Amino acid sequence: MIVLCLVQFMLVLDDTVVNVALPSIRDELGFSASGLPWVVNAYFLAFGGLLLLCGRMADLLGRRRVFLIGVALFGVASLACGLAQEPWQLVTGRFVQGAGSAMASPAAMSMIMLLHPGPEERAKALGIWGGIAALGGTSGLVLSGALTDLVSWRGIFLINLPVVAVALALFPRLVPESRVPGRRHLDVPGAVLVTGAAVSLVYGLLRAGETGWSDPIVIGAVVLSAALAVAFVVAESRAVAPLVPRSFLASRTRAVANGATLLFSMAMYAMSFLLMIQVQTVLGYSPLLAGIAYLPYGAGILAGMWLSSRISFRIGTRWALLLAFLVNIAGLLLLSGVGAGDSYAVHVLPGMLILSVGNGLSLPVMAVAAVDGTTEEDAGLGSALFTSVQQIGGAVGVAALAIMGYSGGLTAGAVCMALGAVLIVVLLPARASGPRQPAGHGAGGRSTPTAAPR
C-alpha cells in the first residue's frame, strides 16, 4: 500500500510539477510561445487518452506486470526529460511519461481494491489513495517552486528516479500477480476507437485553450472525437468480448460518480491554474513563495481525507458527497474575490483551507463510488475510467474556465460544483449497488467470484 501510494503521488505530482518551472524551461531550451504549453499538454494528452486501454490491459495481461512496465517507462521518460537539450526532446519525454502513467495508475488503483476486499477496509484504503493523489497535485506546485528557485528545473524530473527504483525493487516481492482468469481476449477495435476518441477530445480541448474554439483544427478534433465515440458504441454493441461491457455502464452509482468527478475536476484544475497565476502576477509572489503558499492546501486535504470515510459510513455516500461539494462551493466563492492588494492571511488562506477540506472529503468518496460493484474481472477498467474522467475534466476546465479570467473562472467552477451537487442528490442511489457478478466467460461459461464483497 505504501509503495502504491508513493508511486501514485509521483504520477499525479507530474500533472502540475512543471507549471511553476515553465518560464525557466522556456528560457533555457528556447521554447516558442506556442510551443511551451505542450510541455504540459503532452502529458495530459497521453495520460488521458490511453487510460481506458491500459486499464483493460491490466485486467487481462496482469495488473502487477502492467504496473511495473508503466513505472519503468515513466522512469526512463523522467530521465530523458531531465537531460533534454532541445524542446522536442522534452515534449517527447513528457508524452512518454503520460503513457507510463496511464499504464501504472489504473493498475495501482485496481490492486488496492483487490488487496482490501471489505467495504470499510476498501473505503479507508481508497481514501488514503485519493488523498495521497490530491497531495501529489498540490505538492507539485510547492516542489516545482523550490527546485526551480534553489536548484534547477531539471530536478523536477530527476527526483522521480529514486521513487521508480524503490517501486521496481520492492513491488514484485510484495504483491502477487492478478488478472482475469481464462479469457485473454483484448477488444482491439474497441480499444483503438475509444483511445482515438479520448485523444482527439483531449487534443481539441487543449488546443482550444491556446487558439480559441473557432480554430478549425479544434472543431475538427472535437467532431472526430464524437464520430469515433459513436463508432465505439456501435462496435461494442456487436463485440463478443467488449472493452466496456454494457453491464458495466449500467451501474447508476458509477455513472453518477464519474459525472460528478468530471465537474469536480473541471473546477479544481481551473482553480489551480488560475490561482497560481493570480498570486504571482497580481499579488507579486515569487515561484518559491507561490509554492509555499500552497502548503496549507495539503494540510486541509489530509484533514478532509481523515474525515471522509468516517462521515460517509455515518451518513452514506450520497449525503457525504453533497456535503463535500457544498464545502467546495464555499471555498471557490471565497477565493474568487482575491484581488490586488489583498493579504494572504485574510483573503487567500481562509478560502484555500475550506476548499482543501472539501477536496479531501470529495475524492475518497468519489473513488469508492466510481468503482462500486467492480470485480476482479473489471477492476482495472473501473479505476481507469475514473482517472480518465479526472484528466479529461481537467483539460475541459483549463480550456473552458481559465479563459474567463480569475474571478469569472472560479465562479464558473462553483457553478460546476453546484451542478454536481444536483446530480448527486437527484440520481445517486442511497446505497452502493453491492457486488456485481461478472458475466460468464470461457469455454465452460464459468463466472469469476467477486474479488471484493460489498
Side-chain angles (χ1 to χ4, degrees):
M1 181 69 180
I2 292 172
V3 174
L4 286 171
C5 286
L6 183 63
V7 170
Q8 183 64 16
F9 179 88
M10 174 187 70
L11 299 179
V12 178
L13 183 146
D14 271 69
D15 269 354
T16 58
V17 75
V18 300
N19 287 355
V20 181
L22 286 174
S24 300
I25 292 173
R26 177 196 60 206
D27 295 341
E28 183 168 337
L29 296 187
F31 272 93
S32 64
S34 61
L36 187 63
W38 282 102
V39 178
V40 177
N41 294 354
Y43 187 84
F44 276 119
L45 188 62
F47 196 0
L50 298 175
L51 271 165
L52 281 178
L53 173 61
C54 293
R56 196 56 178 154
M57 285 174 57
D59 285 333
L60 298 178
L61 304 180
R63 298 178 182 95
R64 187 181 70 176
R65 175 186 300 173
V66 172
F67 173 79
L68 290 173
I69 293 173
V71 170
L73 189 63
F74 184 90
V76 171
S78 296
L79 179 61
C81 289
L83 300 178
Q85 301 297 317
E86 299 289 340
W88 69 266
Q89 294 172 347
L90 182 57
V91 171
T92 302
R94 288 287 286 169
F95 188 91
V96 178
Q97 269 191 322
S101 295
M103 297 181 72
S105 184
M109 184 174 175
S110 61
M111 283 188 289
I112 288 174
M113 291 159 47
L114 298 176
L115 289 169
H116 300 85
E120 185 171 355
E121 182 186 9
R122 177 183 282 196
K124 289 181 179 179
L126 286 177
I128 294 171
W129 183 89
I132 292 296
L135 281 176
T138 303
S139 300
L141 300 171
V142 180
L143 185 63
S144 179
L147 288 174
T148 302
D149 268 7
L150 304 178
V151 185
S152 166
W153 64 264
R154 297 182 184 277
I156 66 178
F157 300 112
L158 298 179
I159 200 172
N160 294 328
L161 300 182
V163 178
V164 170
V166 168
L168 294 178
L170 295 182
F171 200 74
R173 306 175 186 179
L174 298 174
V175 178
E177 184 61 280
S178 64
R179 62 170 63 89
V180 176
R183 184 182 61 204
R184 297 287 189 87
H185 178 71
L186 181 64
D187 178 20
V188 176
V192 171
L193 288 170
V194 74
T195 302
V199 169
S200 297
L201 178 61
V202 172
Y203 174 79
L205 292 171
L206 292 173
R207 184 175 174 88
E210 301 173 38
T211 63
W213 293 99
S214 61
D215 184 348
I217 296 178
V218 172
I219 297 171
V222 173
V223 170
L224 176 61
S225 175
L228 291 173
V230 171
F232 170 73
V233 172
V234 173
E236 293 298 278
S237 67
R238 300 173 180 174
V240 176
L243 179 66
V244 184
R246 286 188 292 272
S247 58
F248 186 89
L249 298 175
S251 167
R252 196 169 69 181
T253 298
R254 289 196 295 270
V256 173
N258 280 295
T261 299
L262 179 71
L263 293 164
F264 173 89
S265 299
M266 287 176 62
M268 291 305 108
Y269 275 82
M271 180 282 301
S272 178
F273 178 86
L274 289 167
L275 184 58
M276 180 54 66
I277 293 175
Q278 188 79 349
V279 298
Q280 290 189 74
T281 60
V282 176
L283 300 186
Y285 292 14
S286 68
L288 178 57
L289 187 58
I292 293 173
Y294 262 83
L295 285 175
Y297 203 94
I301 287 177
L302 287 175
M305 180 181 69
W306 182 84
L307 290 169
S308 180
S309 63
R310 292 160 177 78
I311 291 176
S312 63
F313 273 100
R314 287 176 182 268
I315 65 176
T317 298
R318 177 199 286 170
W319 302 116
L321 263 184
L322 176 62
L323 173 63
F325 273 46
L326 292 176
V327 174
N328 287 322
I329 291 170
L332 284 167
L333 291 177
L334 273 177
L335 279 176
S336 69
V338 174
D342 287 346
S343 71
Y344 176 78
V346 175
H347 300 97
V348 178
L349 186 59
M352 181 182 291
L353 287 175
I354 292 173
L355 186 60
S356 63
V357 171
N359 281 198
L361 288 170
S362 304
L363 284 165
V365 186
M366 288 191 300
V368 171
V371 296
D372 175 66
T374 56
T375 69
E376 186 172 357
E377 182 175 334
D378 55 13
L381 175 61
S383 57
L385 182 61
F386 174 68
T387 311
S388 183
V389 166
Q390 288 180 307
Q391 296 296 312
I392 292 175
V396 174
V398 172
L401 304 187
I403 60 175
M404 300 179 184
Y406 176 76
S407 181
L410 265 63
T411 302
V415 172
C416 289
M417 298 299 300
L419 292 174
V422 172
L423 186 68
I424 290 162
V425 171
V426 175
L427 295 179
L428 189 66
R431 293 187 176 184
S433 63
R436 180 174 58 84
Q437 296 293 336
H441 60 79
R446 296 180 298 168
S447 63
T448 305
T450 58
R454 300 185 62 79

